[in-house]
Amino acid sequence: MPYLLLLLCLLSVNAHAVATADCDQDALCATEQELHLSFALGYGQRSNPLYGGEALPLVLLPDVYYYAEHWFFDNGKLGTGWALSEQLQLSLIGQFNQEKGHFQKWFGGNAFQFNSTVPGINIIDERYGPLQVSVQEIRKRPTAFDLGLQLDWFSTGWQLQGALWQDISNTYQGQHATLSAGRNWQSRFGDWQLGAKLHWKSAKLIDTYYGIDNNEPFYLPRYNGKASWQPELRLSWQRPVSERVSLLAFLRYLSLDDAMTDSPLVKSDNVTTWFFGISYRFY
């Protein structure tokens, strides 16, 4: 089972750039045959856009990647890459789909907390607004595994990336894709990175996780998911204190369109993630 080989993927925080044949100091890339292991201790939170969903506290964040000659593991992604040129890299990668993380606080654990009592039926008159559905009222959302092709382009201080993913676990039988651009620079206050990303998620993916179908309790409103476009902005900062210790912080804002907000499961039109802490690098 590929799941058993990839359980470490569940510790994902952030994906680093794939190694290229020639890596200058300012490029976002890793060195071949390099192991990096660090932990950041601090506090932050990722909001949950779902009714009844719990925000995810961020206290201890691992950062783990390893690049061998023919394969790599990078914070949740396992794959292999081909250097097309000094600035262009193509990778075949696999990872667990992250959509379930909104439904299960400790995504990847096998101790999902079901509601032990039957939830109350709170039917709302349509004249006063739509019915709101808690995640405790719906059936468990599945765990999916995706295989993707990722193309990275590097230049001094810049990175462009495109990725297309397909569900190979026969869970939601759909696709999703991302386009992103990032710029990093140094100042006397530390190292900065600003990025923008556009997510596209197929109707089958949205329907599997945020739709309400005939397998749900009869009193819940039906909802069929549709394809979704979700823009995201990211800002991160890091200031080295010593060779192994750094201060760091990041802020991410993901905007959700009406394909998500029309679902009776969704209460918010955004997901906000933030963290501030201190990092120690072991390797």
Side-chain angles (χ1 to χ4, degrees), residues 16 29-31 34-37 63-67 73-75:
H16 289 264
C29 50
T31 305
E34 176 184 2
L35 170 65
H36 175 97
L37 174 62
D63 185 10
V64 185
Y65 61 87
Y66 176 75
Y67 285 82
F73 172 82
D74 194 334
N75 284 307

Side-chain angles (χ1 to χ4, degrees), residues 227-278:
S228 176
W229 293 90
Q230 302 174 8
E232 181 179 9
L233 291 175
R234 301 182 174 200
L235 177 64
S236 61
W237 166 81
Q238 183 171 331
R239 183 180 179 87
V241 176
S242 67
E243 183 180 356
R244 294 184 178 271
V245 178
S246 298
L247 296 174
L248 60 87
F250 60 80
L251 174 66
R252 302 170 190 156
Y253 181 87
L254 175 67
S255 178
L256 306 178
D257 66 359
D258 59 2
M260 287 280 292
T261 57
D262 284 349
S263 169
L265 285 170
V266 179
K267 66 179 179 180
S268 174
D269 65 357
N270 67 83
V271 178
T272 303
T273 308
W274 60 273
F275 178 82
F276 178 80
I278 185 169

Side-chain angles (χ1 to χ4, degrees), residues 198-211:
L198 180 63
H199 303 264
W200 171 81
K201 300 175 182 180
S202 70
K204 289 184 177 180
L205 189 157
I206 296 298
D207 189 56
T208 297
Y209 289 95
Y210 306 101

Side-chain angles (χ1 to χ4, degrees), residues 7 11 20 34 43 52 67 81 83 114 155 159 201 203 226 243:
L7 286 177
L11 298 176
T20 59
E34 176 184 2
Y43 186 73
Y67 285 82
F114 291 99
S155 183
Q159 180 192 9
K201 300 175 182 180
K226 53 188 178 181
E243 183 180 356

